Amino acid sequence: MALDAAVKQSIIKDFATSEGDTGSPEVQVAVLTQRIKDLTEHMKEHKHDFHTQRGLLAMVGRRKRMLTYLKNTDIARYRALIERLGLRR
């Protein structure tokens, strides 16, 4: 399940640190978070879709590694991002 192009572009625009930025940790984590939310909804309906479940867990792990990197490099950006995305309640 790929993100719709318009949704992805709006996420990139909202979280980009500069014009044309698609590779910063903030953008990558935001895109992964949206994909994780979509797959979580899919998994609620299709509990036995184990291939999707494996992909979902891989995405969660990738997001966790990116957040750890951001936390170790710039704690202020990390805190702003998790606050903005609503993670770590």
Side-chain angles (χ1 to χ4, degrees), residues 60-71:
V60 170
R62 190 175 319 134
R63 180 178 70 177
K64 182 180 177 184
R65 287 191 303 273
M66 283 187 205
L67 285 171
T68 301
Y69 164 77
L70 191 58
K71 185 166 120 180

Side-chain angles (χ1 to χ4, degrees), residues 27-64:
V27 172
Q28 291 183 49
V29 169
V31 170
L32 272 175
T33 299
Q34 184 60 45
R35 289 181 67 198
I36 288 169
K37 285 179 184 176
D38 292 347
L39 283 180
T40 301
E41 290 302 314
H42 172 81
M43 289 301 296
K44 286 179 183 175
E45 191 173 328
H46 305 280
K47 295 185 188 327
H48 298 289
D49 187 354
F50 298 115
H51 288 86
T52 301
Q53 183 179 16
R54 184 176 187 277
L56 176 62
L57 290 174
M59 281 186 224
V60 170
R62 190 175 319 134
R63 180 178 70 177
K64 182 180 177 184

Side-chain angles (χ1 to χ4, degrees), residues 15 26 29-30 32-34 36-37 60 63-64 67 78-89:
F15 287 90
E26 290 92 343
V29 169
L32 272 175
T33 299
Q34 184 60 45
I36 288 169
K37 285 179 184 176
V60 170
R63 180 178 70 177
K64 182 180 177 184
L67 285 171
Y78 167 78
R79 288 183 179 149
L81 181 63
I82 62 169
E83 180 68 31
R84 209 164 151 198
L85 290 174
L87 302 174
R88 313 275 192 274
R89 293 180 202 153

